[in-house]
């Protein structure tokens, strides 16, 4: 379902963890947007997201969508980074039974999945326990 | 703006309707509504459908379904707002009549979900979330609601048992609805021991995959009073609000801002508050959804939505019955049809025609239909005028 151009457009966010900081109010948009959600400003400068954060909430996916079944069960959570940005990502290399709200995690670059139709290997950020 | 009434309702038995096509399911409900209204024509057709494209490979539903009515070249409009498509189709029809653009309008919803397999249905539903920044990471809809549930439980102490009590209540109501997909009661133990889908949500916390349609006919209230075929049901309020599509962008993960905002506007329009409602039909796509909706509608304080189900407050016979129809949980959830079926239930209740599940003395009813994780919410309030 993911065509080459569509995948390529998101590479700055997925490979380089790139966000956009509003030059007017310093709000960080991830992913980057045309208008700042806080002040409607249009000028941004690129920035890199913080590498650490805490788990604000999570679930363990037992019934996975097509393309992810081999990974199940796996945890997906909302991570609040130390720079204040919140994003959704998988939490891996952890004990699923002991994962909890408030756990500290750090980002790693991992393979997300292989797309069945286009054969694209999809990469991106995942989080692992911060020790 | 003119005052508007609902003058006809139609709905078929919902379920896995393998022998019926998308258009046949829709036409059954639409004709029933037209016949119930006693009109020989409608001026326009609005159709709520989330994904004719992904479920049956058919778009252009406005023209296709208007054609099924065989009423000539009338306008046909398809409305999409994920699982709120039906509620929003009703609202667009309401605006058309209230504004004077049309007089008699059919508002309808349909979804044919069982022509594809489970994985394809899960994918189609997942398109209501942010595809690049939620779906890409392997999250499902139950997964997104599970994340909201976990915050609610962590912050307010909402229990696993309270979530189960929502399912138990709605299935108990559904046993009294002859059109419901699942008419079997469930016990709290069955819910809490059912298969885990996305922790902490289990399969009996989730609404099912369903084929079905619902339709209603709207007209100016003056016309409804003249026709006087059934007790008049007036549309007292219509409101719609949105929120961020991605959960990550929400200020508060345990609060449905779009529902609260739409409800606030609807209460102001109708001139009633939550304490005056006789009943509510709400979007219980997952048990946690009803818990959070009940709070956003002001039927329970923040954090007390679970208690509302467990205490019997929202049970039939309780102070404000919620989902007397069985809700999405028991009645089924053909996504585009759900919002219109809620309106149908409100009308049937306010006419006093709900049989076993009738809310006694029903006078004011609210419907709340929601898309995605609450990125869209549509709220309507109806007033029954009784038999004249
Ligand atoms: Zn800004």
């Amino acid at each position: 379902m993911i065509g080459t151009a569509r995948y390529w457009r998101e590479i700055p966010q997925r490979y380089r963890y790139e966000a956009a900081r509003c030059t007017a109010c310093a709000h960080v948009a991830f992913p980057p947007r045309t208008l700042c959600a806080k002040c409607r400003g249009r000028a941004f400068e690129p920035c890199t997201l913080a590498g650490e954060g805490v788990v604000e909430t999570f679930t363990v996916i037992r019934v996975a969508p097509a393309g992810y079944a081999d990974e199940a069960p796996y945890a997906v959570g909302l991570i609040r980074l130390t720079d204040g940005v919140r994003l959704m990502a998988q939490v891996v290399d952890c004990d699923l039974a002991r994962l909890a709200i408030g756990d500290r995690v750090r980002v790693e670059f991992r393979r997300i999945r292989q797309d069945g139709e286009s054969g694209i290997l999809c990469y991106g950020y995942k989080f692992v326990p911060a020790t | 703006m003119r005052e508007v009434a609902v003058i006809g309702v139609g709905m078929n038995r919902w379920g896995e309707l393998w022998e019926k096509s998308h258009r046949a399911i829709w036409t059954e409900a639409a004709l029933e509504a037209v016949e119930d209204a006693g009109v020989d024509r409608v001026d326009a057709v609005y159709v709520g459908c989330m994904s004719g494209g992904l479920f049956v490979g058919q778009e252009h539903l406005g023209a296709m379904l208007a054609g099924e009515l065989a009423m000539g070249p009338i306008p046909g409009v398809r409305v999409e707002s994920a699982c709120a498509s039906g509620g929003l189709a009703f609202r667009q029809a309401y605006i058309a009549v209230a504004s004077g653009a049309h007089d008699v309008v059919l508002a309808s919803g349909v979804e044919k979900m069982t022509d594809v397999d489970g994985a394809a249905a899960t994918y189609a539903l997942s398109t209501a979330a942010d595809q690049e920044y939620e779906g890409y990471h392997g999250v499902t809809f139950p997964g997104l609601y599970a994340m909201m549930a976990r915050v609610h439980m962590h912050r307010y102490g909402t229990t696993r048992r309270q979530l189960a009590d929502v399912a138990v209540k709605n299935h108990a109501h559904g046993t009294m609805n002859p059109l419901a997909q699942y008419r079997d009661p469930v016990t709290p133990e069955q819910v809490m021991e059912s298969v885990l889908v996305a922790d902490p949500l289990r399969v009996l916390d989730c609404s099912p995959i369903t084929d079905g349609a619902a339709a209603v006919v709207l007209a100016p209230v003056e016309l409804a009073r003249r026709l006087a075929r059934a007790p008049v049901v007036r549309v007292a309020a219509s409101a719609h609000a949105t929120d961020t599509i991605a959960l990550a962008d929400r200020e508060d993960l345990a609060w449905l801002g779009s529902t609260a905002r739409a409800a606030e506007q609807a209460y102001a329009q109708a001139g009633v508050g939550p304490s005056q409602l006789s009943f509510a039909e709400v979007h219980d796509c997952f048990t946690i959804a009803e818990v959070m909706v009940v709070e956003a509608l002001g039927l329970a304080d923040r954090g007390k939505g679970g208690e509302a189900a467990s205490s019997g407050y929202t049970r039939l016979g309780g102070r404000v019955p919620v989902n007397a129809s069985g809700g999405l949980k028991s009645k089924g959830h053909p996504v585009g049809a759900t919002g219109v079926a809620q309106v149908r239930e409100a009308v049937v209740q306010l006419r006093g025609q709900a049989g076993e599940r009738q809310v006694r003395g029903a006078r004011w009813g609210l419907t709340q239909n929601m898309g995605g994780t609450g990125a869209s919410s549509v709220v309507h309030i109806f007033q029954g005028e009784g038999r004249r």
Side-chain angles (χ1 to χ4, degrees):
Chain A
M1 294 291 187
I2 302 178
T4 310
R6 180 177 174 185
Y7 184 72
W8 170 78
R9 286 196 298 271
E10 306 300 326
I11 281 179
Q13 285 71 55
R14 290 180 183 152
Y15 286 28
R16 298 200 296 273
Y17 208 39
E18 203 173 284
R21 182 184 291 111
C22 173
T23 57
C25 78
H27 175 69
V28 176
F30 184 81
R33 322 166 24 118
T34 306
L35 284 184
C36 174
K38 295 293 173 204
C39 76
R40 305 195 79 244
R42 295 187 188 202
F44 294 90
E45 55 192 12
C47 62
T48 303
L49 292 176
E52 289 205 14
V54 295
V55 175
E56 269 195 22
T57 186
F58 68 98
T59 184
V60 178
I61 303 288
R62 312 267 171 183
V63 179
Y68 297 83
D70 291 349
E71 314 288 327
Y74 54 89
V76 184
L78 284 166
I79 314 300
R80 176 74 77 175
L81 302 174
T82 52
D83 57 15
V85 172
R86 193 206 266 142
L87 50 74
M88 187 169 288
Q90 290 188 20
V91 183
V92 297
D93 296 351
C94 62
D95 180 352
L96 291 179
R98 301 189 61 178
L99 188 61
I101 288 176
D103 281 2
R104 288 182 54 243
V105 290
R106 67 180 161 76
V107 74
E108 283 202 358
F109 184 68
R110 296 285 180 95
R111 191 170 97 167
I112 304 281
R113 69 177 176 122
Q114 180 171 352
D115 190 76
E117 280 176 38
S118 61
I120 290 176
L121 289 175
C122 300
Y123 291 89
Y125 44 84
K126 291 186 182 181
F127 287 78
V128 299
T131 43
Chain B
M1 298 278 268
R2 297 191 289 185
E3 294 259 55
V4 177
V6 180
I7 63 169
V9 296
M11 176 176 161
N12 33 28
R13 170 84 198 262
W14 285 3
E16 298 183 14
L17 309 178
W18 295 315
E19 72 288 5
K20 291 179 190 167
S21 69
H22 181 279
R23 68 179 90 189
I25 292 169
W26 180 87
T27 307
E28 241 177 45
L31 285 182
E32 188 186 320
V34 169
E35 279 159 19
D36 183 47
V39 294
D40 54 8
R41 58 161 182 98
V42 297
D43 301 324
V45 174
Y46 286 77
V47 184
C49 182
M50 175 178 169
S51 195
L54 291 174
F55 285 119
V56 292
Q58 182 69 59
E59 307 287 16
H60 208 177
L61 300 175
M64 183 177 89
L65 298 176
E68 289 292 309
L69 275 186
M71 287 182 181
I74 55 172
V77 183
R78 184 263 186 91
V79 177
E80 187 274 316
S81 187
C83 305
S85 298
L88 197 58
F90 177 81
R91 176 168 155 78
Q92 300 315 306
Y94 162 79
I95 291 169
V97 177
S99 68
H102 294 300
D103 286 327
V104 181
V105 172
L106 183 77
S108 61
V110 60
E111 212 76 54
K112 171 74 183 165
M113 303 173 74
T114 67
D115 275 3
V116 294
D117 64 23
T122 302
Y123 171 72
L125 293 170
S126 79
T127 63
D130 186 316
Q131 286 287 76
E132 307 291 12
Y133 289 88
E134 293 183 325
Y136 186 77
H137 298 284
V139 76
T140 56
F141 252 92
L144 292 166
Y145 274 93
M147 286 189 223
M148 296 158 89
R150 198 179 293 274
V151 174
H152 205 279
M153 294 165 98
H154 182 80
R155 190 189 302 166
Y156 300 118
T158 300
T159 63
R160 195 34 276 195
R161 172 62 194 253
Q162 287 172 332
L163 296 182
D165 285 340
V166 173
V168 171
K169 168 179 74 69
N170 292 350
H171 274 271
H173 293 167
T175 62
M176 294 177 274
N177 185 348
L179 302 181
Q181 179 172 11
Y182 293 109
R183 298 188 58 197
D184 312 304
V186 298
T187 65
E189 292 70 28
Q190 282 174 309
V191 179
M192 292 189 288
E193 286 160 17
S194 64
V195 174
L196 267 171
V197 174
D199 315 29
L201 299 183
R202 294 169 179 270
V203 71
L204 287 179
D205 288 297
C206 309
S207 55
I209 299 282
T210 311
D211 300 331
V216 301
V217 177
L218 297 88
V221 85
E222 294 311 321
L223 179 67
R225 287 179 186 139
R226 276 209 310 278
L227 286 171
R229 283 168 60 97
V232 171
V233 175
R234 186 175 72 90
V235 183
S238 174
H240 175 207
T242 58
D243 200 344
T244 66
I245 187 162
L247 209 49
D249 295 332
R250 299 280 168 83
E251 300 254 321
D252 187 341
L253 297 170
W255 181 245
L256 291 167
S258 64
T259 295
R261 168 114 181 123
E264 187 187 326
Q265 293 177 342
Y267 289 135
Q269 287 173 32
V272 296
S275 64
Q276 283 141 289
L277 296 178
S278 314
F279 64 88
E281 284 289 311
V282 311
H283 199 90
D284 60 325
C285 49
F286 301 96
T287 50
I288 183 63
E290 180 173 312
V291 168
M292 291 173 62
V293 168
V294 159
E295 295 173 17
L297 294 176
L299 293 171
D301 291 337
R302 275 197 199 211
K304 303 286 187 192
E307 212 173 288
S310 299
S311 69
Y313 188 85
T314 54
R315 201 179 305 146
L316 206 49
R319 175 62 194 79
V320 185
V322 169
N323 287 328
S325 68
L328 285 55
K329 187 70 198 73
S330 152
K331 182 163 90 261
H333 183 29
V335 282
T338 284
V340 181
Q342 292 177 329
V343 174
R344 180 218 176 244
E345 177 71 14
V347 171
V348 168
Q349 289 284 355
L350 292 169
R351 284 176 174 179
Q353 298 172 342
E356 269 190 283
R357 64 179 193 285
Q358 179 66 46
V359 176
R360 289 220 198 111
R363 190 165 148 69
W364 293 95
L366 178 148
T367 60
Q368 180 268 353
N369 185 203
M370 177 159 79
T373 48
S376 299
S377 285
V378 183
V379 173
H380 286 95
I381 298 175
F382 300 88
Q383 182 187 21
E385 297 191 347
R387 200 164 272 287
R388 298 168 70 86

